[in-house]
Amino acid sequence: MQLKRVAEAKLPTPWGDFLMVGFEEIATGQDHLGLIYGDISGPEPVLARIHSECLTGDALFSLRCDCGFQLEASLTHIAEEGRGILLYHRQEGRGIGLLNKIRAYALQDKGADTVEANHELGFAADERDFTLCADMFKLLGIDAIRLLTNNPQKVEILAEAGINIIERVPIIVGRNPENARYLDTKASKMGHLLDDTH
């Protein structure tokens, strides 16, 4: 287990009241969050979203990505379902950090796509560690989920880490002229499934 559960409190939101659970990586002290809506106990698989931190999209309303749109849509889906979990995975910019993300944006402004920009900065296309999310699910007592994602890599990594993915639920939102190339690159170079098929 790479994490420990360290704190929790109620979080009222426009979608309803969530339980906010704080996790800490044992090796690094990095923090992550789980937002729990409703009663997640019982045998039925719970609707879940792993949302990777995106300050620019989530808080600053950037149109360069679909992250903020996905965050709001996920909270809406979970609230409509009446129960669910959103894990807020604190690995900004696919794990390269905020300042390198800004550097990657500058390279994209000069013509690179999102994968090329990461490579030019010396990073893999995706540096995130989704096994941390499997640990968060386990610390919440969850082993079977319906996962809101377009990223088949998340499904594969979680399954290898012992999480039973009953269903992949697509979350297709937020396409606009500013992020069209970004989304097309995620589909063509990273294998994201950006249609409504399961």
Side-chain angles (χ1 to χ4, degrees), residues 51-130:
H51 188 85
S52 293
E53 179 179 30
C54 177
L55 179 71
T56 48
D58 298 342
L60 302 178
F61 315 107
S62 171
L63 297 177
R64 297 185 77 128
C65 61
D66 57 345
C67 303
F69 300 102
Q70 287 188 333
L71 177 60
E72 291 197 19
S74 298
L75 293 170
T76 298
H77 285 317
I78 287 168
E80 288 174 349
E81 185 96 356
R83 62 192 290 266
I85 301 169
L86 184 138
L87 298 183
Y88 199 79
H89 187 219
R90 302 281 317 280
Q91 294 191 348
E92 176 76 47
R94 292 199 205 111
I96 69 173
L98 180 60
L99 297 182
N100 281 320
K101 179 176 166 181
I102 296 170
R103 293 181 181 105
Y105 279 171
L107 292 170
Q108 291 168 45
D109 289 343
K110 294 175 182 175
D113 66 31
T114 182
V115 170
E116 291 164 349
N118 271 27
H119 288 165
E120 192 166 335
L121 292 171
F123 298 107
D126 193 337
E127 296 271 347
R128 292 172 292 183
D129 179 2
F130 292 117

Side-chain angles (χ1 to χ4, degrees), residues 3 6 31 53 55 57 74 78-80 115 118 123 138 145 150 154 165 170-171 180 190 193:
L3 298 140
V6 297
D31 48 69
E53 179 179 30
L55 179 71
S74 298
I78 287 168
E80 288 174 349
V115 170
N118 271 27
F123 298 107
K138 290 172 185 175
I145 60 174
N150 306 321
K154 284 183 187 176
I165 314 293
I171 181 163
M190 302 180 73
L193 305 171

